[in-house]
Amino acid sequence: MDLDFFIKLNDAYWSTYDEATAYCLNDGARLAILDTTTKLNYVLALPDYDREFFIEWTFFTVLYYLVGATDEAQEDYFVWTTGNIVSRDAQFWLEFQPNNADGDQDCLTLHLSKYDDVTCTSDFQFICELV
Ligand SMILES: [Ca+2]
Ligand SMILES: [Ca+2]
C-alpha cells in the first residue's frame, strides 16, 4: 500500500473542518482517512506529529489534528468521508470520548495518538492524505 500523508503545521494557519477540507483538496489531497491501523500508525510515526510547536509564548507538543470523519449523520457514530465506519473500539479513543461536549462535537481529531471529537467550527491543525 502506498501511503502519502502530510501534516499541516503552521502557527499562523489553524483551520476549521471545512477550511482544512478545502486546503487538502487544493493540494490534491483529502483530510486523512485513518481507517486501518497501518495508516494510523504511519501517521503517528510521522516526524512532524510530535514536533515541538510554539504558539503565543507557549510550547505545545500535544496538538489536535483534524482528520476526515464526522458524526453529523448519526450522533456518536463517526464515519470517514469515504463512507467507512470509524472504529468504536475503546483502544482507539481517548478516555470518555466521544463525549460530544456542549452538544456540539461532530468532527474527529487525533490527540495524544487517539481519537477525540471536537467542534467543527473551532480551529485546529490537520492531516492531509494524497489520493
Ligand atoms: Ca457529535
Ligand atoms: Ca470530545
Side-chain angles (χ1 to χ4, degrees):
M1 173 170 46
D2 273 344
L3 294 174
D4 202 351
F5 294 91
F6 60 94
I7 289 180
K8 180 60 183 167
L9 279 174
N10 184 336
D11 56 3
Y13 193 76
W14 293 57
S15 301
T16 66
Y17 183 84
D18 285 347
E19 289 168 349
T21 297
Y23 184 98
C24 293
L25 193 61
N26 193 49
D27 275 8
R30 64 185 178 193
L31 274 180
I33 307 298
L34 306 178
D35 55 355
T36 68
T37 51
T38 302
K39 293 171 79 173
L40 177 61
N41 289 335
Y42 182 91
V43 163
L44 295 179
L46 288 173
D48 269 351
Y49 189 82
D50 283 329
R51 198 178 78 176
E52 200 164 68
F53 202 69
F54 187 71
I55 303 162
E56 293 179 359
W57 315 110
T58 307
F59 279 103
F60 286 80
T61 55
V62 180
L63 295 173
Y64 290 81
Y65 297 100
L66 287 164
V67 293
T70 75
D71 73 341
E72 285 168 338
Q74 186 181 355
E75 183 53 41
D76 281 347
Y77 285 85
F78 279 84
V79 180
W80 299 107
T81 55
T82 52
N84 289 343
I85 306 294
V86 175
S87 175
R88 294 176 61 80
D89 191 321
Q91 68 173 307
F92 296 114
W93 290 84
L94 284 171
E95 197 173 9
F96 309 122
Q97 304 297 338
N99 65 347
N100 199 43
D102 299 324
D104 187 31
Q105 294 194 323
D106 293 346
C107 285
L108 190 66
T109 58
L110 269 181
H111 178 60
L112 294 168
S113 306
K114 306 258 184 167
Y115 297 142
D116 185 5
D117 56 341
V118 298
T119 302
C120 298
T121 50
S122 297
D123 293 331
F124 302 97
Q125 304 294 313
F126 54 94
I127 302 170
C128 300
E129 173 185 12
L130 289 172
V131 289

